[in-house]
Amino acid sequence: MTEVLSRRPRLARDWSLRLKNAAGGGMLGVCCALLTLPTYAEEPAERAVLTQVHAFDIPAQKLAIALINFGQQSGLQVTVDPDLLDGLQSTPISGQLSSEAALSWLLQGSGITWDYESGALVFRLLQSSADGPLELHNTVILGDTEENSFMGATVIDRKAIQAFPGANGDITTMLQMHPNVQFSTEQKSSNTPGEIDPADISINGAKFYQNNFMIDGISINNDLDPGAHGYGETRQFDSAPSRSHGIALDADLLEEIKVYDSNVPVEFGGFNGGVVDAITRRPSQDLHGKISYAMSRSEWTRYHITRENKQTFETSSNEKNQPEFKKTTLRGTLEGHFNENFGALFNFSQKRSYLPLRTYDNGYNSPVNDNEQEQTRALDNFLLKTYWTVNDRLSLDTSIVYAPQENTYFREDYRDSGYTNINGGWQGSFKAIYEGDHARWTQQLAISDLYASRESDRDDVVMWYWSESKNWGNPDATSARSAEGAFGSIYQTQRSVDYKLKADWQTFNLGTATHSLSTGIELGYQQASWEREDAASSVTTLKRDNGTSCGADPLCSTGLMLNGMNRQYASAMMNYGAGQIDMAQKKYALFVQDEIGYGNLTLRPGLRYEGDDYMEQQSLAPRFAGDYDFFGDRSTVLVFGANRYYGRNLFKYRLADGRQAYTSRYTRASQTAEWQLASQNKNMSKFSTMDIPYDDEWMVGLNQRWFNTEFQLKYVNRKGHDQIYRTRPYYNLDAKDIPEGYSKDYYAYLNAGTSESENLSLTVTPMRPLRFYGTSTSLQLALDWSRNKDAYGSTYEAGLDGEELSGEDVVLDGKRIAYHELPASDFNRPWTARLTTITDIPQWNLSISNFLRYRGAYDQVVKVDPDVEVNGEVLSRYETVATPAAPTWDMRVAWDIPTGKDQAFFVNVDVTNVTDQVNKIASRESVSVVSYEVGRQYWLEVGYRF
């Protein structure tokens, strides 16, 4: 649900006495309506009553009291049993809303639904009594959560999260429903179905690491090195893999997922793409719990592998090909209230993936070493959350999220080469909401500790020549080596303290216009570090002779080799010394926003001012959104906006400067000679301050309600500026200008990139479910078209050569174009159609969900060799690889088996790619490399809830 921006605190102490008196009579007159899709609303007059817009302002409080306030402000009246509301809390609402939208927000998470029958609102629980079947209910799939969200905020609520065939169950999987979210073309490769990492996403064409991921309004972005995804390809001693999600949450922990993709309010910053806010669950009033176990495996999966790669795939010895896997997920929840005002929730999930692989490539079996090893993936989530309603004015929330991830790997053809990539971390937060006389004050304080590290079994690497004593390698291979060792341990950490204060001021009138003012301040402190605690080494040269002794030298071995010699010893090696690089950042932000209502016109101007002492830059981001309600009933609304979004500068830019200085090369003349320092490495990356990348956006949209269906058409145009990439300054520098201590071909990061994206989307959502023989079906159709230009590579590590840096032309499919006109290399499907349906069959306690997606054909751009000469100029050459459309159908079948009141066994079956479509993936590296998406795959989950 989008954050309510216009609120006028109003206490309900007088109404609480009235409620107690009314409750004694057994029935309470209150006013009600609900955004959850109404069952029957046939008469236009009745429908008009529900869609009529009023000025609502109801703080969070006891639900019974909130409904009394709702009655006064909407003019609607119904009768409801007060026992139905006992112990329930409301969600705050404010602003110009329709009655049904306001009550939807008010009843969010209460477990109460309603039908509109013959002009009356009838309320009921979502579940029946103990002697009846569990009643399934309608599901709002995806949509705006308030009438004046300016088409910028959408939500995936808990019911949709539970119903969506999400398989892995991570947040980004759920975002497949969103028309402004793009996924990597390699997201669902059939070569790697055993991975459990959440997918990268691009919102409106922005870089996947320039979104703002949040938990309950607090950022969890990993800025250590989020573009470094080589989880199983850590071939360097001085780096460790990373990802854009600092904490990868399981969707089962969530109440809802908010996505802000355009017209984003000023309280959010630090992004070029969008904001994804994961709202964790509130505890139920009564004691409830759940335990479940889910599984998928290679035997339940259809692989699509090219004929040329089949043998390599089946005898795979690295994580690039995963012919066998087993994935499991264990989840559990315990929640409830200790008393009327204090509740707590504990939730956990444990995801595991087991990947048996060969130790050696090409199917080789060593007679003296293990020929099979198992890689593993482990992702845990633990959430402890409490809610305390101190009094009518003050509520306090606390939460602790702990989400470590440990992925184990080994190096093919190596012995004793195990290492573990460690990601994730924890976050603790405290939130206080105070209903003052003139404003609602919301304060949040959060502490987080994130890491992206590697722990290795060994700190040294030696590639011995195969011999009778070093005999675990393949003697028939071209290199005939017996390698051993790993790259040593690297620790990267990011620790943060963040504070946010927001004030939503009482709505006031100025002339004939109403003003709802929001102001706020953010303060943050971050420490980031890169550290190698223990030195590591790699032997680069081995000499061979007929010596007969090695003494105590660990880098020497005797044993007959294939060339007839008997001894080998290290004569040169690289030493990666212990060292540490630290940095700290202080940051701040101020924001102000005013929502102005003037008749049918609503405007929302705002400003966000940010600064930090890392890049020593300040930015001022203007935001402006508005809508015009043509007929005053929200049936036809024109939406518009113009906004600027400043992103983040990553810590990698600073932490990369100085690593190579810890590396040196040693040599020795003979096996008994002392090691001598041959050379000291110079730094390969130089840090300098840069501007902050930013995107300028303008958008226009139309929201039309017609025949009980909502049509939302939206166009978003984004232009990116000052995007960061790296290059070698020696393209433009003389040798005398190279800084001391740096290699002549060192890298530097600079603001060299631009981008442009156009995004057109249409969503069609019936405002009531389709009824057929006792079943109820909610559905949504979402279409999008996009065009992205982003020639400078997929991440900030994409190097620009001299020609590219100077903006020279290139040749694409034989046509000369400007370099910056090249299409984006990823997240580049031109159009997609999505249909989501959720069908409830109450008489069978069954729910069936379908997600059908058709991704249009596209051309993948690949750089090829050699370059081409055009009119005497040598230009880089690119070609496009035609990639066909990709249709998929995912399905979930959920079956409840009631065992008593509020208790049931349940079974969920997910089937992804139901029709087993063969969908091609074109490589971004080569025109000749082709792979395919994973085929039909089954997931089974069984559990018990009480």
Side-chain angles (χ1 to χ4, degrees):
M1 286 154 284
T2 52
E3 186 71 22
V4 178
L5 296 173
S6 56
R7 294 175 173 133
R8 181 174 58 223
R10 190 178 296 169
L11 301 178
R13 291 172 179 161
D14 295 338
W15 291 105
S16 64
L17 296 176
R18 196 175 301 181
L19 170 66
K20 293 177 181 178
N21 294 334
M27 300 297 288
L28 171 67
V30 294
C31 0
C32 309
L34 183 62
L35 174 73
T36 304
L37 299 176
T39 307
Y40 299 105
E42 303 294 345
E43 298 298 328
E46 295 173 346
R47 184 65 193 159
V49 169
L50 296 176
T51 58
Q52 187 173 355
V53 176
H54 305 277
F56 289 100
D57 194 346
I58 304 175
Q61 57 194 301
K62 293 179 180 179
L63 183 56
I65 300 175
L67 289 176
I68 293 176
N69 287 331
F70 175 85
Q72 278 215 328
Q73 296 176 30
S74 69
L76 296 176
Q77 183 173 1
V78 299
T79 300
V80 61
D81 187 346
D83 291 338
L84 192 68
L85 312 177
D86 186 33
L88 297 179
Q89 292 291 119
S90 73
T91 303
I93 62 171
S94 183
Q96 297 288 327
L97 310 173
S98 68
S99 295
E100 60 180 354
L103 194 55
S104 160
W105 177 255
L106 200 68
L107 297 178
Q108 177 68 31
S110 67
I112 295 177
T113 188
W114 62 281
D115 291 324
Y116 195 62
E117 301 175 354
S118 302
L121 289 166
V122 180
F123 289 83
R124 56 187 172 83
L125 291 173
L126 293 176
Q127 294 182 340
S128 66
S129 61
D131 56 355
L134 288 175
E135 184 174 359
L136 302 172
H137 52 279
N138 304 326
T139 303
V140 177
I141 300 168
L142 179 70
D144 290 345
T145 55
E146 57 177 298
E147 297 289 327
N148 60 343
S149 66
F150 303 100
M151 283 190 181
T154 53
V155 66
I156 302 172
D157 68 11
R158 176 148 185 83
K159 291 171 249 181
I161 291 172
Q162 291 176 316
F164 190 73
N168 273 347
D170 56 79
I171 295 174
T172 53
T173 297
M174 307 296 164
L175 300 184
Q176 293 178 96
M177 291 185 282
H178 199 294
N180 291 84
V181 176
Q182 282 258 19
F183 286 76
S184 171
T185 55
E186 301 178 358
Q187 176 211 355
K188 292 187 174 183
S189 172
S190 196
N191 294 74
T192 56
E195 299 297 339
I196 62 175
D197 282 331
D200 293 324
I201 61 168
S202 171
I203 298 179
N204 286 327
K207 299 298 185 184
F208 66 86
Y209 48 84
Q210 280 291 4
N211 298 308
N212 188 356
F213 289 98
M214 313 180 86
I215 299 178
D216 295 328
I218 300 294
S219 294
I220 54 166
N221 300 296
N222 167 27
D223 290 334
L224 289 167
D225 194 3
H229 281 7
Y231 287 98
E233 297 186 31
T234 311
R235 302 296 184 255
Q236 301 179 21
F237 283 84
D238 62 358
S239 65
S242 189
R243 66 184 181 204
S244 55
H245 302 73
I247 293 177
L249 281 184
D250 184 69
D252 192 58
L253 278 65
L254 304 181
E255 183 66 32
E256 62 189 15
I257 303 170
K258 301 177 184 177
V259 183
Y260 300 86
D261 66 272
S262 59
N263 281 344
V264 183
V266 295
E267 66 177 289
F268 301 108
F271 67 93
N272 294 134
V275 178
V276 179
D277 195 2
I279 307 301
T280 54
R281 294 179 49 210
R282 297 176 65 99
S284 59
Q285 191 67 28
D286 298 324
L287 179 65
H288 289 286
K290 184 186 78 170
I291 188 76
S292 70
Y293 181 80
M295 182 174 67
S296 183
R297 55 197 306 167
S298 50
E299 291 84 353
W300 300 354
T301 302
R302 293 274 294 177
Y303 288 89
H304 297 305
I305 306 297
T306 61
R307 184 179 295 106
E308 297 79 6
N309 294 330
K310 185 176 181 180
Q311 179 64 30
T312 301
F313 180 81
E314 292 178 347
T315 60
S316 173
S317 54
N318 64 59
E319 62 290 330
K320 292 182 180 179
N321 294 294
Q322 300 169 1
E324 295 182 56
F325 72 91
K326 177 183 176 181
K327 294 201 286 191
T328 65
T329 302
L330 177 66
R331 296 183 175 101
T333 302
L334 186 64
E335 58 183 317
H337 272 65
F338 294 95
N339 56 45
E340 186 178 1
N341 297 318
F342 185 84
L345 177 146
F346 174 73
N347 186 296
F348 76 90
S349 71
Q350 293 183 323
K351 297 181 181 180
R352 299 290 184 268
S353 183
Y354 307 92
L355 306 169
L357 296 168
R358 304 281 303 169
T359 301
Y360 298 92
D361 65 357
N362 297 321
Y364 174 71
N365 288 310
S366 172
V368 296
N369 194 28
D370 292 334
N371 289 302
E372 292 186 359
Q373 298 187 60
E374 187 175 73
Q375 294 188 5
T376 61
R377 312 288 188 261
L379 174 58
D380 295 336
N381 277 197
F382 299 93
L383 168 67
L384 177 62
K385 192 164 187 176
T386 65
Y387 285 88
W388 181 22
T389 304
V390 181
N391 52 47
D392 288 341
R393 287 180 178 260
L394 178 64
S395 63
L396 304 176
D397 304 342
T398 61
S399 67
I400 298 176
V401 178
Y402 178 49
Q405 181 173 358
E406 295 187 1
N407 296 346
T408 65
Y409 298 87
F410 64 87
R411 300 184 66 196
E412 62 182 347
D413 298 323
Y414 275 70
R415 188 178 74 171
D416 301 331
S417 63
Y419 59 95
T420 303
N421 290 334
I422 304 173
N423 296 88
W426 63 269
Q427 181 188 83
S429 65
F430 174 82
K431 181 177 182 180
I433 301 177
Y434 181 74
E435 303 286 354
D437 293 331
H438 303 290
R440 169 177 294 149
W441 301 89
T442 302
Q443 298 187 74
Q444 289 181 279
L445 177 66
I447 302 174
S448 63
D449 188 356
L450 309 178
Y451 33 82
S453 304
R454 179 185 71 237
E455 290 187 349
S456 295
D457 293 347
R458 286 179 53 172
D459 296 323
D460 61 316
V461 172
V462 185
M463 293 186 64
W464 300 104
Y465 289 104
W466 190 96
S467 70
E468 292 179 344
S469 59
K470 304 294 185 182
N471 59 352
W472 58 83
N474 185 357
D476 297 325
T478 303
S479 60
R481 299 279 185 142
S482 291
E484 63 179 337
F487 293 112
S489 300
I490 293 290
Y491 300 96
Q492 297 180 129
T493 60
Q494 175 184 313
R495 298 181 174 92
S496 305
V497 179
D498 294 286
Y499 171 76
K500 181 176 180 178
L501 170 63
K502 181 186 176 186
D504 297 303
W505 298 90
Q506 180 175 345
T507 300
F508 62 92
N509 294 324
L510 190 61
T512 58
T514 62
H515 294 261
S516 298
L517 195 65
S518 296
T519 59
I521 183 173
E522 297 178 16
L523 302 173
Y525 177 76
Q526 293 177 305
Q527 286 183 325
S529 66
W530 171 95
E531 182 179 10
R532 184 190 294 117
E533 290 184 346
D534 302 307
S537 65
S538 173
V539 172
T540 58
T541 306
L542 287 165
K543 284 189 175 181
R544 293 179 285 185
D545 60 23
N546 286 314
T548 58
S549 174
C550 284
D553 185 358
L555 297 180
C556 176
S557 172
T558 59
L560 183 63
M561 290 172 279
L562 296 177
N563 70 345
M565 293 184 178
N566 188 64
R567 184 175 71 169
Q568 55 182 318
Y569 64 91
S571 62
M573 70 174 179
M574 301 299 295
N575 179 269
Y576 304 87
Q580 183 171 344
I581 302 172
D582 298 289
M583 62 155 292
Q585 173 183 245
K586 302 183 187 70
K587 58 181 182 177
Y588 55 89
L590 302 170
F591 59 85
V592 59
Q593 180 174 276
D594 188 13
E595 187 169 309
I596 306 168
Y598 184 80
N600 292 354
L601 178 67
T602 303
L603 302 176
R604 193 187 67 188
L607 284 174
R608 181 179 178 89
Y609 177 75
E610 295 178 290
D612 64 66
D613 62 356
Y614 174 29
M615 293 296 175
E616 300 178 347
Q617 299 285 341
Q618 291 78 41
S619 62
L620 183 64
R623 310 270 179 91
F624 177 78
D627 70 34
Y628 184 76
D629 183 0
F630 284 93
F631 305 110
D633 59 359
R634 309 301 294 182
S635 62
T636 305
V637 181
L638 175 68
V639 181
F640 47 90
N643 305 275
R644 174 168 290 186
Y645 309 123
Y646 280 91
R648 306 183 308 280
N649 277 323
L650 310 178
F651 297 140
K652 167 65 184 291
Y653 312 143
R654 173 64 188 89
L655 296 180
D657 189 345
R659 296 181 188 182
Q660 287 76 30
Y662 295 111
T663 303
S664 52
R665 185 173 184 268
Y666 286 84
T667 61
R668 60 180 177 180
S670 67
Q671 188 267 325
T672 57
E674 294 292 328
W675 287 98
Q676 302 292 328
L677 177 64
S679 62
Q680 185 76 36
N681 277 19
K682 294 184 178 182
N683 285 321
M684 287 293 298
S685 181
K686 188 177 188 304
F687 170 75
S688 59
T689 59
M690 293 171 285
D691 294 331
I692 303 170
Y694 67 93
D695 273 33
D696 285 331
E697 167 193 278
W698 68 269
M699 67 82 62
V700 62
L702 181 67
N703 195 32
Q704 177 67 53
R705 293 178 179 176
W706 193 32
F707 292 113
N708 287 320
T709 302
E710 183 173 71
F711 299 83
Q712 189 176 92
L713 180 66
K714 178 168 69 172
Y715 173 81
V716 180
N717 182 284
R718 292 274 189 93
K719 291 186 177 179
H721 307 271
D722 291 339
Q723 294 179 353
I724 295 175
Y725 298 94
R726 68 175 187 170
T727 187
R728 286 188 165 102
Y730 76 73
Y731 295 132
N732 298 314
L733 290 178
D734 294 331
K736 62 182 177 60
D737 297 321
I738 303 299
E740 183 178 356
Y742 291 86
S743 169
K744 70 176 182 64
D745 54 354
Y746 74 91
Y747 283 101
Y749 295 92
L750 71 164
N751 299 105
T754 61
S755 66
E756 183 177 1
S757 69
E758 296 179 276
N759 304 271
L760 180 66
S761 63
L762 171 67
T763 58
V764 181
T765 310
M767 301 178 67
R768 55 175 179 160
L770 307 179
R771 305 284 185 172
F772 183 76
Y773 283 99
T775 68
S776 174
T777 299
S778 300
L779 59 86
Q780 182 181 75
L781 174 68
L783 310 172
D784 75 89
W785 170 87
S786 64
R787 181 173 62 185
N788 302 321
K789 296 179 182 179
D790 185 3
Y792 297 101
S794 56
T795 76
Y796 45 87
E797 294 292 88
L800 305 183
D801 62 26
E803 295 175 352
E804 295 165 346
L805 189 62
S806 60
E808 294 186 8
D809 289 348
V810 297
V811 174
L812 174 64
D813 292 335
K815 181 180 179 181
R816 181 170 181 161
I817 64 171
Y819 179 67
H820 68 270
E821 290 291 325
L822 281 174
S825 61
D826 199 3
F827 305 95
N828 54 355
R829 288 278 185 179
W831 67 273
T832 303
R834 306 164 177 85
L835 177 64
T836 309
T837 71
I838 302 175
T839 300
D840 294 333
I841 311 176
Q843 58 269 35
W844 293 349
N845 301 312
L846 195 67
S847 176
I848 301 175
S849 306
N850 294 282
F851 177 62
L852 295 95
R853 185 169 57 153
Y854 189 94
R855 289 161 290 159
Y858 73 102
D859 289 331
Q860 178 66 61
V861 177
V862 181
K863 187 174 183 180
V864 295
D865 293 322
D867 294 341
V868 63
E869 183 175 338
V870 179
N871 298 328
E873 294 182 77
V874 178
L875 303 178
S876 297
R877 185 163 62 97
Y878 293 81
E879 291 183 3
T880 58
V881 179
T883 307
T888 54
W889 170 21
D890 301 338
M891 180 173 64
R892 161 169 281 208
V893 178
W895 182 35
D896 280 359
I897 309 171
T899 59
K901 183 179 181 180
D902 297 335
Q903 299 185 52
F905 286 105
F906 61 90
V907 179
N908 299 323
V909 177
D910 284 20
V911 187
T912 57
N913 197 354
V914 173
T915 58
D916 196 28
Q917 287 289 325
V918 180
N919 294 325
K920 179 182 175 181
I921 299 174
S923 171
R924 286 177 283 154
E925 309 298 330
S926 171
V927 294
S928 61
V929 176
V930 175
S931 59
Y932 298 94
E933 293 182 352
V934 69
R936 184 189 302 114
Q937 182 177 14
Y938 294 93
W939 275 84
L940 173 65
E941 180 181 24
V942 295
Y944 187 78
R945 65 170 64 94
F946 58 89

